[in-house]
Amino acid sequence: MAWSPQSLPPRLYHHQEVNMDAAWGAFGSDSDDSDDDSTADKNEQAQQPNVLFESISAAVTVAITQHFASLTKTTGVGLGERVVDVTSVMYGDECGEEAGELKTMMTEWVIRRGMKVVAGDDVSSACDAAVLIVGDRKDLQSDSSLNIRRRLVPGGIVWLIIKRQENESDNNSSFDCFPGSIWEEISCVSTSSYYCVHKIQKRACLVNAKSCPWMDKKSIIGKEVALAAEKKCGNFKVAENESYLQFELRAASRVTIVPSVAERMREKISSTDEAYTTILTDTNIKHAIEKLRDHGLVIIKGLLPPEQTIPWGNVVLEDFTSAVEALKNHQSRPVDLLNPDKGQFEPLSYKEMAMREDLRVDLRSGPSMEKLRSQENNLASEAMVGSNVIDVGSQPTIITADTMGTGRSWRYHPSILAILKGLFNPRDDSLYKGNFGRWNFGGNGPDGSPQPFRLGQIGSVVSCPGSGDQAIHADTPHLFEHTDCHPCHYCNVFTPGYKVTNDQTDNPPVQNEFVDGLWTGSSTMGGTALVYDSHRLGVSAMLLAESDDGNENDNASLRRQLLQLLTLRPALDAGDIVIFDNRTLHYGIANTSKGDTTGKDSNAGRRPMLYLNVTQSWFHDPKNWDDRESIFS
């Protein structure tokens, strides 16, 4: 069976009165606990429901408006582009009529503020925020409520307008359907004797909390660890009495970009296809570059259409299966990749595939991959006429300033290319005009345009069930060691070649934890752990370097705790990406899935993590497999 749901971290809850608008006065005073006054208040409200509903609608709409207005500068998404779902769940004739009136007023107020409203019965439309009107807290478990929680984008807020019941207390016992693994703390915004309003925000990024059990993420962070981390990691401070897991959730969200509904619907992948690819605003692209430079990684939720990434995962697994059979039947040197302890020979690195560890390989080409690669690169070239993009087999492609990209292939995604250009070309507007060496070799001079970089072809790391946690490592060295961090010269783009599913059969090959149809982030398939800020020499030295005198008592315990604190295990689903500086410390997480339990699907439980290697045009990765033996020829 699927795992039993657990709320990790424990549900946080606080009561916070917010005086956002004079309209909040309609909710009455929390300090007024007189039974007579309460009864009179209810009678008065019952006699004037329109006044009450108007006040509630106005107050909540003001709060939503202020929330989105505060995000405009940081996201570049205007108020008129925001999508709000307004749904009511009340039962009984009187309650249903009341809910209908409140929903109508709420909808009118949201539209009046210039936002778009999506109907609650539209089960497919995503929303940036939602207003859920319920007659009882039990209604939070209704299908309509579950539907809203699933469609809300990561980082979105649900405003709960809940009708008060007799002797109801303001505690969190009725909010178990909002587990802390998925949702941030619940805020009671305002209460009256008739209605109460709560708000709760969906986490921007989830983490695979059940991976790496050797880490103690539930314990509280000590003061010594907090002070040492704050000294090296700038203004991101540890909260009082915060656990390692709670810090990880905050840090993961800090390095995450969440596209709005409008960004997710900006471009179709083709004129004949209904699927969309997300196009980030210039502001979000700028923030993605800043996160990469500051922290060594950025996570972008829902950037790519799964219709483009899942086929890549499928062909990767096809070629991996073929490679397993070909090596097992090799005439002179048979190798059993799936049973590394039983074979006579150790596996090698081949032209198409390199070994990482037992049951984990880096597959960069194969017959099925080459076929799809040729098709997609041709489509992309047709869509980018005039960009001088030339793809030659499995070789990297030179991306120039005029290469804008296309939604026809995720490898050339416009937002990814824009982020990479900015990452590889940091510029000071007061200095770039002095770079006169750019006139050399037919250059255009110091015009400040992005200089070329190399974009690798799509490859994949395949982790099979039984593969363990990798040793922590960085993929490339720092080029210089006299300063903390030079601009990036080599980075990776990762995206899953599979979709996380809720398999409720008795013996699933993969166990993904779901609560009410929402993934909590935990999965036996693992993922990639990345160490926050570790692309900086100072942070990596703090975490891993021993003292110069070789003293065994150089506070190794503190270093282990700091490494545990800064290790992020972001949960990625189809369409999500993580871009990270290859100097960032990271490791593959163990795949503890059962694998094929039916004998019908040999690829069950295998995790294809697709990647792009990207480097400055002048940097050449010494890793080259072209002179190795081919598996397929």
Side-chain angles (χ1 to χ4, degrees):
M1 298 294 290
W3 292 347
S4 59
Q6 294 187 13
S7 298
L8 290 174
R11 160 58 48 227
L12 299 173
Y13 183 89
H14 73 256
H15 183 282
Q16 178 186 11
E17 283 296 326
V18 180
N19 185 19
M20 306 192 72
D21 193 90
W24 284 127
F27 291 108
S29 171
D30 287 337
S31 61
D32 184 4
D33 55 2
S34 166
D35 290 340
D36 293 338
D37 289 345
S38 175
T39 301
D41 187 35
K42 286 185 179 180
N43 291 335
E44 181 179 353
Q45 290 167 349
Q47 294 169 4
Q48 298 179 333
N50 287 342
V51 174
L52 174 65
F53 295 167
E54 192 81 16
S55 298
I56 294 173
S57 300
V60 173
T61 304
V62 167
I64 295 172
T65 303
Q66 291 180 340
H67 169 68
F68 285 142
S70 69
L71 293 179
T72 298
K73 290 184 178 180
T74 59
T75 65
V77 180
L79 187 64
E81 297 179 281
R82 294 295 186 175
V83 178
V84 180
D85 186 300
V86 180
T87 296
S88 62
V89 184
M90 288 189 185
Y91 301 103
D93 294 340
E94 183 178 346
C95 287
E97 182 179 349
E98 184 176 306
E101 291 179 14
L102 182 51
K103 176 183 176 181
T104 298
M105 287 190 183
M106 190 76 241
T107 299
E108 291 174 352
W109 269 92
V110 171
I111 293 174
R112 197 180 306 169
R113 286 281 181 166
M115 292 169 279
K116 301 174 183 177
V117 174
V118 61
D121 55 358
D122 186 347
V123 298
S124 62
S125 296
C127 56
D128 298 303
V131 178
L132 179 60
I133 306 162
V134 297
D136 189 286
R137 295 193 186 192
K138 295 178 181 178
D139 296 337
L140 294 174
Q141 293 285 8
S142 67
D143 289 343
S144 295
S145 173
L146 296 179
N147 182 38
I148 284 180
R149 300 206 297 274
R150 293 166 187 164
R151 293 189 292 108
L152 185 70
V153 299
I157 292 180
V158 178
W159 295 84
L160 302 172
I161 303 176
I162 305 175
K163 188 172 183 179
R164 295 294 296 267
Q165 303 298 316
E166 293 290 339
N167 301 318
E168 184 177 70
S169 61
D170 295 325
N171 59 51
N172 64 333
S173 60
S174 301
F175 293 107
D176 292 339
C177 56
F178 293 94
S181 53
I182 304 172
W183 302 89
E184 297 185 8
E185 61 184 29
I186 298 173
S187 296
C188 180
V189 177
S190 190
T191 62
S192 74
S193 56
Y194 201 64
Y195 274 94
C196 58
V197 179
H198 302 261
K199 71 173 182 178
I200 181 168
Q201 187 166 16
K202 207 174 194 179
R203 294 194 183 278
C205 183
L206 309 178
V207 302
N208 193 345
K210 292 192 174 179
S211 64
C212 308
W214 41 270
M215 288 196 291
D216 181 15
K217 286 280 191 172
K218 295 181 182 179
S219 61
I220 301 300
I221 303 164
K223 290 185 178 180
E224 185 180 13
V225 176
L227 289 173
E230 289 169 11
K231 184 177 179 180
K232 288 292 184 181
C233 298
N235 59 1
F236 190 48
K237 299 184 182 300
V238 174
E240 186 176 357
N241 294 322
E242 187 171 38
S243 72
Y244 286 87
L245 180 55
Q246 288 166 342
F247 179 91
E248 180 183 6
L249 286 162
R250 283 203 303 123
S253 292
R254 183 179 174 87
V255 296
T256 297
I257 298 290
V258 179
S260 64
V261 173
E263 290 170 287
R264 294 166 186 259
M265 303 292 288
R266 283 204 169 139
E267 183 177 314
K268 286 188 177 182
I269 61 176
S270 73
S271 59
T272 59
D273 203 310
E274 291 302 315
Y276 287 82
T277 189
T278 300
I279 303 296
L280 298 179
T281 62
D282 291 343
T283 305
N284 267 336
I285 288 171
K286 177 184 176 182
H287 284 299
I289 296 167
E290 290 173 349
K291 293 177 190 297
L292 266 164
R293 289 178 182 162
D294 292 344
H295 307 299
L297 70 149
V298 65
I299 299 157
I300 307 176
K301 304 297 290 184
L303 182 69
L304 306 175
E307 291 85 350
Q308 291 180 346
T309 57
I310 299 299
W312 269 101
N314 293 338
V315 297
V316 163
L317 293 179
E318 287 177 19
D319 284 341
F320 176 74
T321 301
S322 299
V324 168
E325 290 302 313
L327 292 175
K328 191 174 183 179
N329 298 316
H330 195 282
Q331 292 184 352
S332 60
R333 204 176 186 283
V335 172
D336 191 345
L337 292 178
L338 301 181
N339 298 282
D341 296 333
K342 297 181 180 180
Q344 181 181 355
F345 297 98
E346 289 288 329
L348 303 173
S349 287
Y350 306 89
K351 181 177 181 180
E352 301 88 356
M353 184 176 71
M355 300 303 301
R356 289 292 173 251
E357 295 84 19
D358 288 348
L359 302 174
R360 181 180 279 113
V361 304
D362 185 343
L363 185 66
R364 74 170 187 173
S365 67
S368 297
M369 292 174 68
E370 290 300 327
K371 181 178 179 180
L372 182 57
R373 176 174 295 151
S374 177
Q375 293 173 351
E376 288 205 354
N377 285 342
N378 287 338
L379 285 173
S381 296
E382 293 174 2
M384 296 187 296
V385 175
S387 293
N388 298 319
V389 172
I390 301 176
D391 282 299
V392 180
S394 59
Q395 297 303 308
T397 303
I398 296 296
I399 301 298
T400 61
D402 63 355
T403 307
M404 296 294 104
T406 174
R408 300 293 294 275
S409 168
W410 74 265
R411 178 173 175 251
Y412 287 106
H413 191 284
S415 296
I416 293 178
L417 295 190
I419 292 168
L420 295 173
K421 288 176 184 178
L423 176 67
F424 286 140
N425 293 275
R427 192 185 78 178
D428 187 320
D429 288 342
S430 67
L431 298 176
Y432 77 87
K433 293 182 180 179
N435 192 5
F436 277 83
R438 294 190 67 176
W439 285 114
N440 296 340
F441 309 109
N444 295 323
D447 59 0
S449 61
Q451 300 194 58
F453 62 86
R454 295 178 187 272
L455 178 68
Q457 300 288 344
I458 298 172
S460 179
V461 175
V462 180
S463 299
C464 298
S467 60
D469 291 317
Q470 277 187 306
I472 190 169
H473 64 281
D475 286 343
T476 195
H478 287 253
L479 299 181
F480 304 97
E481 299 175 347
H482 69 290
T483 189
D484 197 26
C485 189
H486 268 88
C488 180
H489 64 279
Y490 191 172
C491 72
N492 278 334
V493 182
F494 276 15
T495 189
Y498 57 92
K499 183 166 182 59
V500 176
T501 57
N502 187 9
D503 189 342
Q504 299 185 24
T505 59
D506 290 338
N507 192 26
V510 177
Q511 292 177 313
N512 300 314
E513 185 183 61
F514 277 75
V515 175
D516 293 334
L518 285 172
W519 185 36
T520 68
S522 289
S523 172
T524 56
M525 290 182 75
T528 304
L530 303 110
V531 182
Y532 183 89
D533 271 14
S534 64
H535 65 312
R536 301 181 181 278
L537 285 170
V539 173
S540 291
M542 174 185 71
L543 298 174
L544 300 179
E546 297 181 359
S547 60
D548 292 336
D549 59 8
N551 186 355
E552 293 294 331
N553 298 317
D554 65 344
N555 213 344
S557 175
L558 175 61
R559 289 190 283 112
R560 285 195 298 271
Q561 291 177 72
L562 284 167
L563 182 59
Q564 174 174 286
L565 176 68
L566 298 180
T567 297
L568 309 182
R569 301 160 295 170
L572 303 182
D573 201 352
D576 299 340
I577 73 166
V578 57
I579 307 175
F580 64 95
D581 188 316
N582 278 23
R583 296 169 295 182
T584 299
L585 299 174
H586 64 282
Y587 57 90
I589 297 174
N591 184 340
T592 59
S593 300
K594 297 177 182 178
D596 186 14
T597 57
T598 64
K600 298 178 181 180
D601 183 7
S602 62
N603 285 320
R606 294 174 183 171
R607 184 183 78 233
M609 184 63 73
L610 310 178
Y611 68 76
L612 297 173
N613 295 142
V614 194
T615 69
Q616 295 275 15
S617 61
W618 41 263
F619 181 82
H620 293 268
D621 186 352
K623 176 182 66 180
N624 191 330
W625 308 332
D626 287 341
D627 60 348
R628 304 293 180 90
E629 178 185 359
S630 174
I631 298 174
F632 299 106
S633 60

